């Protein structure tokens, strides 16, 4: 691990060579051209694209140019304290070089600089407080140094480099067959039926998206972008409706509460995006996940401090 005191954020990840910024790719145009070549009508392709999102899958040992670092010690701006919850330092999860990441249509990540993710997932899961997670953006050209504020194993995991590739994502209810529909709510079932009616070539379009941006194969260290977890958006929807009721803006009959939450969740899905989602090793739990979600508008405006830290622990 490099021990030099300073480095330009053009080399934001310890041990990685500088990577020229990735050229923007018109993924929607790429998909549209391929779908039209299959004889699928343009208006149907447009409706399908409204539901298609691409996420960036990060994984170790994937070959190619590294785009980020998991574990180890982060590079922070010179003089910056290790991020904390106000009392204790937050574990460092990973960092990415934004210039090295593939560009994604409609996903407003910074064009360059570094993003560093810190989270105490146990405290975040137990309390739901956003102070237990933090996203740090380090602009390109900033003098950085290897952080030395915490060397405890609880805060510094095993270090390894990760590569990136794109993956196609859809809403949970999207393309559900008759058997899967049993697990959906009546509202989601109606969405699925409307989709089948509006997209007669749905199967071909899904197959094309998965050919262009294949689904998972093996362990993923994290995902950047894509759909925010539905349960997270649902929680935001419940809080939003509860606040609007409290302020007298709306009145929701008790019997109608759940249906209002579902509709609000569906609406908010277009406003929120997953900034990062990652599994966390924890031998005490069957599943341990951490994530950050953010509004599209806040991400595009660079308001990364508006990202919400979320964690889930399943025994």
């Amino acid at each position: 691990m490099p021990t030099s005191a300073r480095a330009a954020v053009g080399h934001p990840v310890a041990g990685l060579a500088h990577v020229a910024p990735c050229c923007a790719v018109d993924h929607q145009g790429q998909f549209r051209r391929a779908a039209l070549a299959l004889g699928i009508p343009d208006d149907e392709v447009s409706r399908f694209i409204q539901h298609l999102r691409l996420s960036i899958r990060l994984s170790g040992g994937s070959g190619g140019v590294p785009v980020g670092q998991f574990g180890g010690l982060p590079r922070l701006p010179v003089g910056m304290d290790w991020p904390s919850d106000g009392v204790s330092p937050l574990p460092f999860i990973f960092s990415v070089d934004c210039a090295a990441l593939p560009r994604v249509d409609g996903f407003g990540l910074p064009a360059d600089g570094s993003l560093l993710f810190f989270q105490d997932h146990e405290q975040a899961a137990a309390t739901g407080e956003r102070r237990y997670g933090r996203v740090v953006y380090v602009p390109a050209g900033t003098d950085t140094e290897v952080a030395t504020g915490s060397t405890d194993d609880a805060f510094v995991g095993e270090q390894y480099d990760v590569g990136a590739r794109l993956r196609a994502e859809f809403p949970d209810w999207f393309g559900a067959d008759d058997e899967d529909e049993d697990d959906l709510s009546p509202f989601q079932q109606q969405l699925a039926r409307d989709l089948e009616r509006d997209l007669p070539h749905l199967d071909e379009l899904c197959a094309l998206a998965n050919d262009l941006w294949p689904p998972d194969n093996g362990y993923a260290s994290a995902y950047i972008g894509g759909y925010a977890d539905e349960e997270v958006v649902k929680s935001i929807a419940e809080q939003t409706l509860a606040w609007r009721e409290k302020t007298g803006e709306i009145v929701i009959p008790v019997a109608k509460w759940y249906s209002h939450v579902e509709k609000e969740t569906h609406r908010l899905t277009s406003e929120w995006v997953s900034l990062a989602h990652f599994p966390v090793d924890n031998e005490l739990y069957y599943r341990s996940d951490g994530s950050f979600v953010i509004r599209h508008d806040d991400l595009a405006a660079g308001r990364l401090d508006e990202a919400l830290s979320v964690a889930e622990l399943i025994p």
Side-chain angles (χ1 to χ4, degrees), residues 1-7 75 144-146:
M1 181 181 303
T3 56
S4 59
R6 291 174 180 260
R75 299 197 71 92
T144 64
E145 60 186 354
V146 176

Side-chain angles (χ1 to χ4, degrees), residues 2 23 32 40 65-66 104 120 122 124-125 133 135 138 147 185 205 215 259 277 281:
C23 297
R32 184 182 301 278
I40 300 174
V65 177
V104 175
D120 184 333
E122 291 192 3
V135 181
V138 183
S185 69
L205 289 165
S259 64
H277 182 269
D281 291 334

Side-chain angles (χ1 to χ4, degrees), residues 7-18:
V9 87
H11 301 268
V13 181
L16 299 189
H18 176 68

Side-chain angles (χ1 to χ4, degrees), residues 86-109:
V87 178
S88 303
L90 295 170
F92 170 61
I93 309 298
F94 72 100
S95 63
V96 290
D97 177 357
C98 295
L101 293 174
R103 310 310 299 174
V104 175
D105 302 326
F107 184 50
L109 278 183

Side-chain angles (χ1 to χ4, degrees), residues 53 57 81 223 290 314:
R53 288 189 189 179
R57 182 183 190 273
D81 293 334
Y223 298 96
I314 301 178

Side-chain angles (χ1 to χ4, degrees), residues 170-206:
F170 306 96
D172 291 344
W173 53 267
F174 195 91
D177 56 29
D178 292 339
E179 183 176 338
D180 291 334
E181 273 199 15
D182 293 338
D183 297 327
L184 301 179
S185 69
F187 178 75
Q188 291 175 322
Q189 289 177 5
Q190 188 59 54
L191 290 175
R193 294 190 192 106
D194 292 344
L195 186 75
E196 291 182 1
R197 180 199 64 211
D198 294 338
L199 299 177
H201 296 88
L202 177 60
D203 291 342
E204 294 95 321
L205 289 165
C206 287

Side-chain angles (χ1 to χ4, degrees), residues 1 7 29 38 41 52 62 66 75 110 114-116 131 170 189 193-194 198 214-215 225 271 280 295:
M1 181 181 303
L38 295 175
L52 171 63
S62 57
R75 299 197 71 92
S114 298
L115 286 177
L116 295 84
R131 66 190 178 99
F170 306 96
Q189 289 177 5
R193 294 190 192 106
D194 292 344
D198 294 338
E271 294 185 10
V280 180
R295 291 182 186 273

Side-chain angles (χ1 to χ4, degrees), residues 13-29:
V13 181
L16 299 189
H18 176 68
V19 180
C22 290
C23 297
V25 177
D26 181 10
H27 296 107
Q28 292 187 5

